[in-house]
Amino acid sequence: MTVLDSKIPAGPLQDKWQNWLDAHTLVGPRNRAGKNVIVIGTGLAGASCAASLGAQGFKVKSFCFQDSPRRAHSIAAQGGINAAKDYANEGDSAHRLFKDTIKGGDFRSREANVMRLAQLSENIIDQAVAQGVPFNREYSGALATRSFGGVLVQRTFYTRGQTGQQLLLGAYSALEHQVAAGNIEVFNRHEMQDVVIVDGEARGVIVRNLITGEIERHAADAVVLASGGYTNVYYLSTNAMGSNVTATWRAHKRGAFFANPCYTQIHPTCIPQSGEYQSKLTLMSESLRNDGRIWVPRKSGDDRPPAEVPEAERYYFLEERYPAFGNLAPRDIASRAAKVVCDDGLGVGGTGRGVFLDFRDAIGAQGKDAIERKYGNLFEMYSRITGDNPYETPMMIYPAPHYAMGGLWVDYELQTTIPGLFAIGEANFSDHGANRLGASALMQCLADGYFVAPHTVTNHLAKNHDEVSTSDSAFDEVESDVRGHIQKLMDVGGGTSAQAFHREMGHVMLDKCGMSRTAEGLDEALTDMRKIKAEFWSDLRVDPGDEEFNQSLEYANRVSDFLELGELMIHDARRREESCGGHFREEHQTDDGEALRDDDHFAKVTAWEFGGDDPVPHDEALVFDDVKLATRSYK
Amino acid sequence: MKFTLEIWRQFDGSDENDKGRFETFQVEDIDPDASLLEVLDQLNERLSREKQRNIAFDSDCREGICGACSLVIDGTPHGPQQVTSCQTYMRDFIDGQTITIEPYRANTFPVIRDLAVDRGALDRVIQAGGYISTTTGPQPDPNAMPVSPEVQEQAMDAAICIGCGACVAACPNGAAMLFTGAKVTHLNVLPQGQPERQDRVIGMVEQMDAEGFGGCTNYGECSRVCPQEISIDVIGMLNREYRKAKLTKKSKPDKAMTTQ
C-alpha cells in the first residue's frame, strides 16, 4: 500500500512555510528562460500562477477552453476575500483565521496548509491593490471590510458585489503583461485532454484546439493544473456551463490520486430552480446574510404575501437554532437547515423548495440607500432573473451546488502523486476540509497561484531534467488514447444529446449524493449512474466532424468524465461512515439533527487511486497539534 | 409561449467561403422564465434527436459577468434590454413573435461558426498596456496610499467592463473606444496607475488602430448597449489622456539604465 507523504516541513506550525522557503532550491535568473511550465486554466489560481512564473523569467504556456483567459469562472465570485489584516481592530490575526478555517472545514483539513494560507492572506490584498484592484474604501481612503459566514470578525475585503471579477481581472492583467513581455504564450479555446508522463514525471499535455479540432502536443518541465472544481457533476450548479473535471480526471486516470471527492459544497443562498429547462443556478452572495434575515412561515401552506405574515408566525430558523451566529451560520449548516424546513413542508415559492431572505428590517434600520450601496448590483441581478423587487418583497433562495472541496490529492508543495504535476486552486483538495468558509476560495486560489506554486514549482524545476521532445514515444501513446476516446464518442451514433444525459445524471447525484446521503441511497445511485453511463455509450449523439469547431463533441467529452467522477464520489461518500461539513450521512447525526463526526476512524483524507469500477482508497491521517478536535458548534 | 427564430448559420459545412444565411426554426411550449440561451439549448437537444447539426454559440457563466455570450438579438447586440444575451428572458418578448439571432457584426470579430466569433483583438489591446507593470512580491500596505471613495467609485464604474465586445458590435464604425476607455479610466484615475499613465493610453490606442477598430464619432450606441452601463464619459477620458500624453510625453529613459 502506498504511503502518502504530505511532506509537511518540520518546526513550529507558524514557521513551517518560512522554513520551507529558506531550504528550497532556486533556479538562477539566467537559467529560467530554459525552463518551460504548462499551466492549465486561467482562473484566479492559473492566471496568478502563470503571471508569477512568467515574471520570474520562466517560459509559460497557459491554456484555457474559453475564448479569452478573462472569462474563467472565478470571475463570477461575488462577496469577497478574507485576509487577517485586522484593520477593524477586533483582535484578528493569522492564527484566528487559521482556526476559523480549520473549524469551518469541520476538522478535515491539514493544519500546516491552512496556517500557510492564513499567513499569506495579507500579501494577497497588498498584491491586488498594487495591480489596481479597486477594493471598496472608507471615507478616510482606507480599505473597507465586512463580515462573512462562520466568523465573528470583519476580515472580508470586497469590490462591491464583484470581488471575483476584479481580482480575476487583476490576475488576467498580470498575465497579459507577461504575454507582452514575451514570457507567456496563451492558448485560448484549447482544452487539455491528457497529461504525458515520461520516466515517471509529468512532461507535457495533449490538448485539443477547439476551433480546428487539431490534437496538439506540448512538452514542458512541469505541468500545473488550475482547472477548477467539479460541481457541474450535479448538472445544475452555480458553475459556468463549461466548468468541467476533464483535466483533473484524466490526470487521475494517469495516476494522480483524487482526494475526498464526496466533499462538495451546496451554497445556501441561490435563486431557486424554476423549471426543467433551466441550465444553471445563480448564486446570490453570502454577504447578503449580513443584513438579510432568513425565514419561512411557521404554518405549512401559508400562502399570504410575505409582508402580511405577522412576526410571531415567522420562523427565523437559523436565528432560533444557532443564536450565536444566526443568519451567518456556515454554509453547510445553513443549507441543511433550509433543506430540513422545506422537507417539513414549510418551503415557499412555486416548487416549495425555497426560503425567504428578507431585507425589511435592514432597510428599516439603515435606510434603502445604505442597503443599495452595499448590495445594489446583487438586488438588480436578482430582480433581472426573477422579475421581483427585493427592496419591496423578500428574496426567495434555496441551496445549490457551488464548490468542490475535494480534488486532486497534493502534498504541502501542491504536487500530486505524479512528480512534476501540480494542482492548485479548486482543482486540489487541500485547504478547506469538508466545508469551505465564505470568501476563502479567492484567498486560496490566489495564495496558491501568487505565493505558493511559483516557489514549489521552481523547486521542481531546479532538478536537472533531460530534454523531452514531443516526438517521444510517450506522446505517441497518449495522443493515440486521446484520439481513440474522441473517435469512440463520434462513433456511438445515437439520438440523444450529451446535455440530456448530463441532466439525468445530475438528478441522481443531487438526490442521492447531495445535501444528505444514506448508504441505501448511495448504493442505488451507483446502479443508476452505471445505467446512465451505459445508455450514454449506446445512444449519444455528437455532431459529425471531429476536426472542426464542434461544441456537441466538447460537451460529450466532458460528460463522459463526469459520469466516471460521479461513481467515485459515491464510493467516497459510501466509505466515509460519518457526517462532516458538506458530507451529511443521515445514519450519523446527533439527536437534534447536527452532523456527527467520527474522529477515531475518519480524521483522515481519503485519496483514491484510479481502478475503474474498483477504485482503491489510500488514507492520509490528519494530525492536529495546534487546534483541539471539538464538536463544531455555532449555537 | 411559442416563437419563430431566425438564426444565422455560417461555416457549418465544409465551404471555407460560406457567406452565411438565416435558417428558420419554430419553438413551442417555452416557459416565459427560460432564458433565450436556454431556448437555444432546447433547440439543440431537438436538433440532436433529429440528427441535425447543433447551432454554435458562446456562453459560459450565464449570469452576466463572464462576457462570453455574444448574440445580436433583433438587430441589437445582446438585445433590447441592455443586459447580456444570457440574461435575456423569454418574458421580455411577445408570444408568437419572430426573433432574429445573429453573431456580432464587426470586421475585427471574424465568425468562427454560426453565432460564435473570435474576439482575440480585445485581449491584444489589453496586452498593449491594460495593466500596472507590477510583479508578484512584497507590496506596500494599501492603507499607506489612501484612495477616496469617490475615486474608487470612478475606477470601479469603469473596471466593471466584462469585455463582451457589444460596444464594438453596436458601433457603426466598429470602434472599441468604450472598451479601451474603460480600462484606461480604471487604471489612470488610481494612484497606482500614475507612473504608466501615458505609455498605457498611447500603447492601447495604437493597438486599437492596428487591429482595425474604427474611431469614435459620437454615435453613443456603445454605451446604450453596454450591459454594465459604462458611461460614454470614458471615451472623453480616453481622448483627453491620449492628447495629453502625445503632447507632453517625454522619451523613455534607456531601458538598460533602469534595469541595471
Side-chain angles (χ1 to χ4, degrees):
Chain A
M1 177 155 163
T2 320
V3 178
L4 291 166
D5 178 6
S6 54
K7 293 198 207 152
I8 294 169
L13 186 61
Q14 61 275 14
D15 298 338
K16 284 181 190 293
W17 179 233
Q18 192 57 49
N19 289 348
W20 189 94
L21 284 173
D22 292 344
H24 84 291
T25 320
L26 299 170
V27 177
R30 301 205 182 277
N31 293 330
R32 290 178 201 161
K35 302 280 187 184
N36 302 294
V37 183
I38 284 168
V39 181
I40 304 296
T42 57
L44 283 170
S48 60
C49 177
S52 304
L53 287 166
Q56 287 176 36
F58 296 108
K59 291 294 170 203
V60 180
K61 286 182 174 179
S62 158
F63 295 84
C64 65
F65 69 79
Q66 297 91 341
D67 76 315
S68 163
R70 66 181 292 156
R71 311 223 191 275
H73 198 54
S74 305
I75 199 119
Q78 296 169 354
I81 176 165
N82 286 331
K85 277 188 168 288
D86 196 29
Y87 283 159
N89 193 32
E90 300 162 310
D92 197 12
S93 64
H95 194 258
R96 272 188 198 278
L97 173 54
F98 154 77
K99 274 204 325 206
D100 285 341
T101 308
I102 291 274
K103 178 186 171 192
D106 218 353
F107 305 92
R108 290 293 175 264
S109 42
R110 255 189 222 142
E111 276 192 343
N113 285 56
V114 177
M115 178 52 98
R116 174 176 66 189
L117 176 65
Q119 289 171 326
L120 291 172
S121 66
E122 294 186 47
N123 308 28
I124 299 168
I125 304 298
D126 302 349
Q127 182 68 34
V129 170
Q131 291 167 342
V133 171
F135 282 114
N136 274 41
R137 300 268 177 167
E138 306 287 0
Y139 288 116
S140 65
L143 291 180
T145 53
R146 61 186 171 197
S147 189
F148 244 62
V151 302
L152 297 171
V153 291
Q154 300 171 68
R155 62 161 77 103
T156 305
F157 296 79
Y158 60 102
T159 59
R160 293 185 192 154
Q162 291 130 286
T163 316
Q165 182 201 24
Q166 293 308 312
L167 288 170
L168 181 63
L169 292 181
Y172 159 77
S173 71
L175 174 93
E176 296 293 9
H177 173 211
Q178 292 306 321
V179 171
N183 296 323
I184 299 180
E185 193 179 353
V186 172
F187 297 79
N188 56 1
R189 292 199 198 261
H190 281 66
E191 186 157 23
M192 178 179 144
Q193 304 295 313
D194 218 328
V195 59
V196 181
I197 298 165
V198 180
D199 295 334
E201 294 200 355
R203 296 304 302 269
V205 292
I206 304 291
V207 300
R208 181 167 181 270
N209 177 330
L210 300 182
I211 295 182
T212 63
E214 275 169 271
I215 304 296
E216 301 174 359
R217 303 173 175 199
H218 296 270
D221 300 300
V223 177
V224 181
L225 301 183
S227 50
Y230 52 81
T231 32
N232 262 352
V233 73
Y234 294 110
Y235 181 62
L236 284 186
S237 80
T238 65
N239 282 192
M241 300 304 287
S243 302
N244 68 81
V245 75
T246 294
T248 48
W249 190 253
R250 302 277 167 95
H252 173 56
K253 292 173 90 165
R254 292 277 166 205
F257 288 7
F258 208 107
N260 300 336
C262 80
Y263 290 163
T264 48
Q265 178 166 80
I266 316 286
H267 193 293
T269 51
C270 300
I271 299 175
Q273 186 183 359
S274 59
E276 188 65 9
Y277 56 82
Q278 202 157 324
S279 59
K280 80 154 276 157
L281 296 169
T282 302
L283 175 98
M284 299 308 297
S285 168
E286 171 164 285
S287 62
L288 293 167
R289 292 200 273 146
N290 271 304
D291 287 301
R293 298 180 69 193
I294 295 176
W295 64 278
V296 288
R298 285 194 187 275
K299 255 196 339 253
S300 176
D302 187 341
D303 55 2
R304 285 174 290 180
E308 289 171 21
V309 179
E311 202 59 21
E313 293 175 41
R314 296 173 170 212
Y315 178 24
Y316 294 97
F317 54 92
L318 287 175
E319 295 175 23
E320 285 187 26
R321 285 182 63 183
Y322 308 99
F325 284 71
N327 294 299
L328 286 175
R331 291 177 175 177
D332 53 334
I333 288 176
S335 289
R336 212 150 45 235
K339 179 179 188 293
V340 168
V341 295
C342 291
D343 288 347
D344 290 346
L346 300 177
V348 296
T351 60
R353 310 300 306 176
V355 300
F356 290 125
L357 177 63
D358 197 340
F359 292 86
R360 183 194 65 179
D361 298 348
I363 291 171
Q366 304 167 38
K368 190 183 161 204
D369 287 353
I371 296 300
E372 190 172 353
R373 266 200 304 279
K374 281 194 255 188
Y375 310 115
N377 70 310
L378 297 172
F379 277 40
E380 237 177 79
M381 182 165 154
Y382 180 84
S383 104
R384 178 70 216 137
I385 293 172
T386 62
D388 286 344
N389 178 357
Y391 293 104
E392 285 160 12
T393 186
M395 291 184 176
M396 269 190 280
I397 55 165
Y398 195 70
H402 179 54
Y403 190 88
M405 280 77 69
L408 289 184
W409 185 89
V410 288
D411 60 21
Y412 187 74
E413 298 173 4
L414 306 182
Q415 191 162 218
T416 66
T417 47
I418 299 174
L421 182 71
F422 295 78
I424 64 176
E426 194 180 350
N428 74 28
F429 88 105
S430 72
D431 295 1
H432 305 297
N435 172 56
R436 178 175 67 75
L437 287 181
S440 290
L442 305 185
M443 172 173 73
Q444 183 228 334
C445 289
L446 291 178
D448 285 1
Y450 282 131
F451 302 117
V452 182
H455 303 301
T456 60
V457 171
T458 297
N459 188 51
H460 176 77
L461 295 173
K463 294 180 202 158
N464 278 327
H465 291 103
D466 296 334
E467 279 283 313
V468 68
S469 145
T470 53
S471 51
D472 191 283
S473 64
F475 279 87
D476 294 340
E477 285 163 33
V478 179
E479 181 183 323
S480 148
D481 288 350
V482 167
R483 286 184 184 279
H485 188 75
I486 289 173
Q487 199 54 49
K488 199 172 146 199
L489 291 165
M490 303 294 302
D491 287 345
V492 179
T496 303
S497 68
Q499 186 160 19
F501 289 110
H502 192 192
R503 188 185 302 115
E504 199 185 345
M505 68 165 280
H507 278 308
V508 172
M509 291 301 293
L510 189 60
D511 189 31
K512 293 173 177 154
C513 193
M515 256 186 290
S516 78
R517 299 141 182 200
T518 62
E520 193 188 355
L522 289 165
D523 291 344
E524 287 165 12
L526 192 62
T527 313
D528 293 350
M529 286 292 286
R530 286 182 175 163
K531 202 169 132 245
I532 296 168
K533 190 164 76 179
E535 283 163 12
F536 175 89
W537 286 110
S538 65
D539 191 34
L540 174 71
R541 152 82 191 181
V542 172
D543 278 346
D546 61 323
E547 292 191 340
E548 56 188 84
F549 191 65
N550 187 340
Q551 291 175 319
S552 72
L553 174 61
E554 290 167 30
Y555 199 167
N557 197 22
R558 293 168 192 161
V559 173
S560 72
D561 292 324
F562 279 132
L563 281 162
E564 296 182 11
L565 166 78
E567 284 189 30
L568 188 69
M569 289 171 66
I570 294 165
H571 284 297
D572 192 43
R574 185 74 172 80
R575 182 168 186 265
R576 189 166 282 279
E577 290 287 350
E578 65 162 353
S579 293
C580 59
H583 169 67
F584 189 79
R585 283 282 300 270
E586 289 176 24
E587 302 93 328
H588 306 287
Q589 53 181 310
T590 61
D591 292 339
D592 52 353
E594 303 294 340
L596 188 62
R597 290 200 323 259
D598 177 357
D599 292 333
D600 291 340
H601 298 98
F602 289 99
K604 64 187 184 187
V605 173
T606 311
W608 294 87
E609 180 181 357
F610 181 74
D613 282 349
D614 300 300
V616 184
H618 300 265
D619 291 333
E620 176 199 342
L622 291 168
V623 182
F624 294 91
D625 294 324
D626 191 90
V627 291
K628 250 182 50 199
L629 281 164
T631 300
R632 199 165 62 127
S633 170
Y634 291 92
K635 296 203 170 190
Chain B
M1 301 176 90
K2 58 181 180 180
F3 300 94
T4 302
L5 305 180
E6 297 275 353
I7 298 177
W8 187 258
R9 307 300 301 264
Q10 192 174 6
F11 303 122
D12 53 339
S14 53
D15 179 6
E16 282 176 24
N17 300 311
D18 187 357
K19 297 277 184 253
R21 75 252 159 234
F22 281 104
E23 279 180 17
T24 306
F25 300 90
Q26 307 294 335
V27 291
E28 290 173 359
D29 289 329
I30 300 297
D31 190 302
D33 287 330
S35 72
L36 181 63
L37 299 190
E38 285 164 351
V39 172
L40 291 181
D41 290 342
Q42 289 177 59
L43 178 57
N44 273 341
E45 276 198 59
R46 187 180 95 199
L47 291 175
S48 289
R49 284 195 299 274
E50 295 167 356
K51 309 215 169 185
Q52 301 293 315
R53 190 185 284 284
N54 283 200
I55 296 152
F57 64 96
D58 276 321
S59 81
D60 205 27
C61 78
R62 297 213 177 172
E63 50 188 276
I65 193 74
C66 78
C69 59
S70 43
L71 305 179
V72 174
I73 304 162
D74 284 341
T76 305
H78 292 319
Q81 302 287 329
Q82 203 177 353
V83 292
T84 56
S85 307
C86 67
Q87 300 248 280
T88 301
Y89 291 88
M90 301 319 285
R91 57 176 180 263
D92 299 335
F93 297 97
I94 300 160
D95 195 6
Q97 84 167 87
T98 298
I99 304 169
T100 312
I101 305 173
E102 301 166 76
Y104 281 174
R105 303 291 191 188
N107 290 335
T108 42
F109 296 161
V111 172
I112 296 169
R113 170 170 279 180
D114 298 342
L115 306 170
V117 299
D118 176 1
R119 285 166 288 184
L122 296 180
D123 285 330
R124 293 189 289 275
V125 170
I126 296 293
Q127 284 158 21
Y131 45 77
I132 289 168
S133 301
T134 184
T135 54
T136 310
Q139 305 287 352
D141 188 277
N143 282 353
M145 196 198 305
V147 178
S148 76
E150 291 77 19
V151 170
Q152 182 268 333
E153 290 278 321
Q154 193 191 355
M156 186 62 187
D157 284 342
I160 55 174
C161 169
I162 58 173
C164 65
C167 48
V168 177
C171 177
N173 303 331
M177 289 184 72
L178 196 74
F179 171 82
T180 309
K183 189 45 71 185
V184 165
T185 302
H186 160 210
L187 296 175
N188 282 18
V189 300
L190 288 173
Q192 305 93 301
Q194 296 315 306
E196 296 171 292
R197 184 171 184 154
Q198 298 189 326
D199 288 329
R200 172 174 306 116
V201 68
I202 292 172
M204 292 179 78
V205 168
E206 287 176 356
Q207 188 62 34
M208 231 169 46
D209 292 345
E211 295 289 344
F213 290 108
C216 173
T217 49
N218 295 315
Y219 282 100
E221 291 295 317
C222 52
S223 184
R224 204 182 61 73
V225 301
C226 175
Q228 298 294 82
E229 299 178 34
I230 289 174
S231 162
I232 198 160
D233 292 351
V234 301
I235 296 183
M237 172 90 175
L238 178 68
N239 285 329
R240 282 195 303 280
E241 289 288 299
Y242 183 69
R243 274 198 298 273
K244 221 160 39 184
K246 288 300 265 189
L247 288 171
T248 62
K249 186 172 157 21
K250 298 191 175 66
S251 58
K252 265 192 183 173
D254 186 358
K255 186 136 195 248
M257 286 173 61
T258 59
T259 51
Q260 291 304 305

